[in-house]
Amino acid sequence: MSSSKRYGSCRNVWKKKKCILFSVLIFLIFVLFIKYTIETTTKSFNEQSPAKCLFCQIASGNRTPPVLEFENDEYVIFKDIRPASTHHYLAIPKKHYESLKVLNKSHVGLVSRMYSGMVDFLGSKGIDTSDAVIGFHIPPFISQHHLHLHGISPISEMGFWDRINFLTNSFWFKSGKDAIDSLERSEL
């Protein structure tokens, strides 16, 4: 067999592998989209209103558990009930904002303080933030209609689906730093 035929055969094998990988990626994105679409469409509008918002109740101290690990005038931090890794915390503002999509340039300070507060909080727990995912899901890929920042570590202990679910800088999950940068570029 000549080298050009072998090279052509290798090229075809590589094309098939790329096609399979691309198909798997598209399938995974489709599964995530369906998962979040089902979660968000099965909730009625009343469940999403600030008066009935689960995270508003937690932030105001009207619902326990979870135990608030940190609290100040703007936001609280608590453990996620469905952790994606050994350490998984949420920072939520006390004021109701549905998601990053409703924020603008005037909210840069809040999001910056939530982000730096999460980094400081994880550090105070002895958690290495260089091996952490800190960020926000982007609608429609949100499970709660109340702004919440995830702090998850270590990445190495996250399962396959969680790594996809919290894939930083995908179209469904944005790092805290990128969220701040986007808000700084937005209008008032």
Side-chain angles (χ1 to χ4, degrees):
M1 181 185 274
S2 72
S3 64
S4 64
K5 285 184 179 179
R6 274 186 276 162
Y7 176 72
S9 174
C10 290
R11 212 170 45 189
N12 288 338
V13 169
W14 178 241
K15 274 184 171 181
K16 287 178 184 176
K17 285 182 179 180
K18 281 176 32 179
C19 184
I20 290 169
L21 287 173
F22 182 73
S23 298
V24 168
L25 181 63
I26 294 298
F27 175 75
L28 293 174
I29 291 169
F30 177 73
V31 168
L32 278 174
F33 181 77
I34 296 299
K35 175 186 182 271
Y36 283 103
T37 302
I38 290 169
E39 284 180 2
T40 57
T41 57
T42 57
K43 297 177 182 177
S44 71
F45 176 76
N46 288 336
E47 289 177 320
Q48 303 307 320
S49 70
K52 296 200 180 209
C53 173
L54 172 65
F55 282 1
C56 284
Q57 293 172 7
I58 291 170
S60 66
N62 293 332
R63 183 171 182 120
T64 56
V67 173
L68 299 182
E69 302 269 339
F70 173 85
E71 180 175 12
N72 67 16
D73 292 339
E74 282 187 300
Y75 63 91
V76 300
I77 297 176
F78 58 93
K79 285 185 179 181
D80 193 304
I81 62 169
R82 286 184 256 149
S85 189
T86 304
H87 307 284
H88 188 165
Y89 295 92
L90 299 176
I92 60 171
K94 289 185 173 183
K95 185 174 179 185
H96 184 85
Y97 300 100
E98 185 172 311
S99 70
L100 276 178
K101 293 285 188 182
V102 301
L103 303 183
N104 60 40
K105 195 172 198 161
S106 70
H107 299 100
V108 168
L110 169 66
V111 174
S112 295
R113 288 186 292 278
M114 286 174 62
Y115 176 78
S116 62
M118 179 62 81
V119 169
D120 292 345
F121 173 78
L122 293 174
S124 75
K125 296 273 190 189
I127 298 168
D128 179 13
T129 56
S130 68
D131 189 25
V133 173
I134 303 173
F136 300 90
H137 278 109
I138 308 298
F141 303 101
I142 56 177
S143 57
Q144 289 290 322
H145 289 266
H146 185 114
L147 181 67
H148 55 285
L149 172 72
H150 293 267
I152 307 167
S153 180
I155 297 169
S156 60
E157 292 184 18
M158 293 173 72
F160 176 75
W161 287 110
D162 288 325
R163 286 180 191 229
I164 292 171
N165 194 19
F166 297 99
L167 183 62
T168 304
N169 301 328
S170 56
F171 64 85
W172 59 86
F173 190 81
K174 187 178 283 202
S175 75
K177 289 179 182 178
D178 281 349
I180 293 165
D181 290 344
S182 292
L183 289 174
E184 286 174 342
R185 291 188 307 273
S186 69
E187 310 232 347
L188 284 177

